[in-house]
Amino acid sequence: MSTLPPLDLSADVLAVTRALVDAPSVSGSEGPLADAVEAALRALGGLEVERIGDAVLARTNLGRPTRVVLAGHLDTVPIADNVPSRLDEATGRLYGCGTSDMKSGDAVMLRLAARFGVPGAQPAHDLTFVFYDNEEVESARNGLGRVARERRGWLYGDLAILMEPTDGEIEGGCQGTLRAVLETTGHRAHSARSWLGVNAIHALTGAVTALAAYRPREVEIDGCLYREGLNAVGISGGVAGNVIPDEAALTVNFRYAPDRDEDAAEAHVREVFADATAAGATLTVVDNAGGALPGLSEPAAAAFVAAVGRPARAKLGWTDVARFAAFGIPALNYGPGDPTLAHTREEHVLVDRLQPAEDALTAYLSGSTA
Ligand SMILES: [Zn+2]
C-alpha cells in the first residue's frame, strides 16, 4: 500500500475531484484513499472522526436539533485505461474512472466538511459524513452495511443524502428488487415417442404468458412517480435435440415501488405465478432487497428540495439509500455525476455541474434558504 499525497480541501471542487480520481481505489483497495480522506478530515479540527476498516466517519457535535447525513462510497469499478483523470477544456468534461460514480460526489462532501467541519463553523444542522468502501461489489462486503451493523448510531439523522450520480437532480427513495426462479419438472422421453414424456419447458407456457400480459403498476409517492416492472430475465432447460426435457427454469426480476415491503413484493410475485405453482411448479425467491420511501414530506427533506429549487423525481434503481430507510431515516440521492456514464470507459463528469452541487448543499446546510 502506498501513501498518497495529502488532500488539499481548500482547493476548488474540481481540483478535489481530480485528486480523488487520480488516487485509484478499486473495490477492496480503498486503503490509501481512505487514509488520505481520514487525515484530511482530522486536520480540519472540528470533527469527531472514526475509522472502521476502510470506511471513514466524521461528524460535528454542535447540539443542533437536527442532523443531516451525507454518504458516498470511495471505491470504483475496475479501471479501464481511464486513470489519471483528463480534463477536456473544449467540452467541459473531466474524464476518468469514478468521475461520475462517485468521486465528484465525494469531493462535494469533502468541500462541505472543509467549510462546516472547522472550529467556529455554524451549520444549521449537525452533520455526519460517511465515506465507505466496497459499494461496487457484492452486498455482503458493502462498507455502509458494515457501518450499519457495527456503528449504527453513526448513520442516524433527520435526513440522509447519498451522493450517487443523479445529474444534479434530487431522486427520492429507491425501488426494491426481487429475483425469483420458477422451476418446472416433467418426464424425460425420446422425442420420437413424445407422448410418453411430459415436457417441462412447455409447462412454463402459462408463466411466460402471464409475464407478457402483466400490467406493471405506476405509483406516485410524495410527488415521485415509481414504475414497477416484472420481467423474465433468464430461461433454461433442455437435455438434447432428441429428448423431451424433464426440467426447466425461468428467472424473473421484480422491480417494485417502495410502498410495498419485501414480504408484500414476494406475495405479489407468488400471486402472479399462482396457476403455475398450483400446477406443480416451484417458485424460489433468491434475492429480495426492499426499496426506500422518498420521505419528501419530512421537513428536513422538504427544505433540501426547496434549496435545490427543482422538483424531485423517483429513483428507479436500488441504491444504498435503502440502508438508511431501514432505520426509518428519509434518504435522497443527489449527486453531480451522470448515472448513464457510470462504469463506462468514457466515464466523465460535466465540470459545470460540480460547483452548483456544492453551492446548493452549502445553502441548505447554512440554513440560508430554509
Ligand atoms: Zn456509485
Side-chain angles (χ1 to χ4, degrees):
M1 292 253 188
S2 56
T3 304
L4 295 169
L7 285 170
D8 175 9
L9 302 189
S10 67
D12 68 19
V13 62
L14 172 61
V16 176
T17 302
R18 294 199 76 169
L20 296 177
V21 173
D22 294 345
S25 56
V26 177
S27 309
S29 321
E30 300 90 338
L33 182 55
D35 290 346
V37 167
E38 179 186 357
L41 293 173
R42 286 193 189 281
L44 295 171
L47 295 168
E48 175 191 359
V49 179
E50 187 166 338
R51 174 80 171 258
I52 302 168
D54 283 333
V56 183
L57 311 172
R59 66 185 167 198
T60 61
N61 293 305
L62 300 168
R64 297 286 189 272
T66 49
R67 177 175 290 279
V68 173
V69 183
L70 296 146
H73 63 83
L74 291 174
D75 61 319
T76 69
V77 295
I79 291 163
D81 288 328
N82 52 359
V83 167
S85 60
R86 181 172 63 82
L87 182 62
D88 187 86
E89 306 264 8
T91 57
R93 295 172 174 179
L94 178 70
Y95 285 88
C97 184
T99 45
S100 256
D101 185 15
M102 57 170 288
K103 289 181 171 179
S104 50
D106 295 329
V108 170
M109 287 169 60
L110 287 168
R111 291 284 301 146
L112 296 167
R115 176 182 296 266
F116 295 115
V118 292
Q122 296 294 331
H125 313 274
D126 263 312
L127 298 176
T128 302
F129 299 92
V130 180
F131 297 90
Y132 62 101
D133 55 292
N134 283 303
E135 190 272 346
E136 300 286 8
V137 288
E138 67 271 22
S139 177
R141 289 170 63 190
N142 185 294
L144 191 62
R146 196 177 63 247
V147 173
R149 286 190 300 276
E150 298 177 11
R151 298 285 198 291
R152 169 180 295 209
W154 274 93
L155 301 186
Y156 286 159
D158 298 272
L159 175 67
I161 301 173
L162 188 66
M163 303 225 39
E164 284 279 6
T166 63
D167 238 344
E169 305 286 345
I170 294 176
E171 296 186 335
C174 74
Q175 295 209 125
T177 179
L178 176 153
R179 217 155 30 92
V181 180
L182 185 74
E183 290 171 296
T184 50
T185 53
H187 189 75
R188 232 183 248 209
H190 196 300
S191 58
R193 288 173 291 278
S194 57
W195 58 89
L196 297 177
V198 177
N199 193 313
I201 294 178
H202 294 187
L204 285 174
T205 305
V208 172
T209 305
L211 285 174
Y214 183 79
R215 301 283 288 268
R217 220 171 43 120
E218 293 188 355
V219 197
E220 195 178 305
I221 306 170
D222 282 356
C224 296
L225 184 68
Y226 293 89
R227 301 186 61 175
E228 295 190 328
L230 175 62
N231 288 281
V233 291
I235 192 161
S236 62
V239 179
N242 56 357
V243 178
I244 301 301
D246 58 348
E247 285 178 355
L250 177 70
T251 302
V252 299
N253 181 216
F254 182 37
R255 296 289 176 147
Y256 55 95
D259 61 336
R260 302 188 202 260
D261 64 13
E262 294 176 10
D263 291 343
E266 175 170 344
H268 178 69
V269 171
R270 290 197 178 278
E271 189 186 314
V272 171
F273 296 114
D275 288 349
T277 50
T282 57
L283 183 75
T284 309
V285 173
V286 290
D287 196 24
N288 189 1
L293 287 163
L296 294 174
S297 49
E298 301 291 330
F304 179 56
V305 175
V308 172
R310 306 171 65 91
R313 63 187 186 193
K315 185 71 171 179
L316 300 181
W318 192 91
T319 77
D320 275 335
V321 294
R323 298 181 196 275
F324 290 100
F327 302 140
I329 300 167
L332 305 168
N333 305 273
Y334 175 74
D338 179 341
T340 65
L341 296 168
H343 306 187
T344 66
R345 206 171 269 277
E346 343 30 88
E347 180 172 356
H348 58 265
V349 67
L350 295 174
V351 171
D352 66 8
R353 294 288 160 84
L354 301 178
Q355 195 62 51
E358 181 185 336
D359 292 346
L361 278 160
T362 299
Y364 168 60
L365 298 174
S366 343
S368 55
T369 59

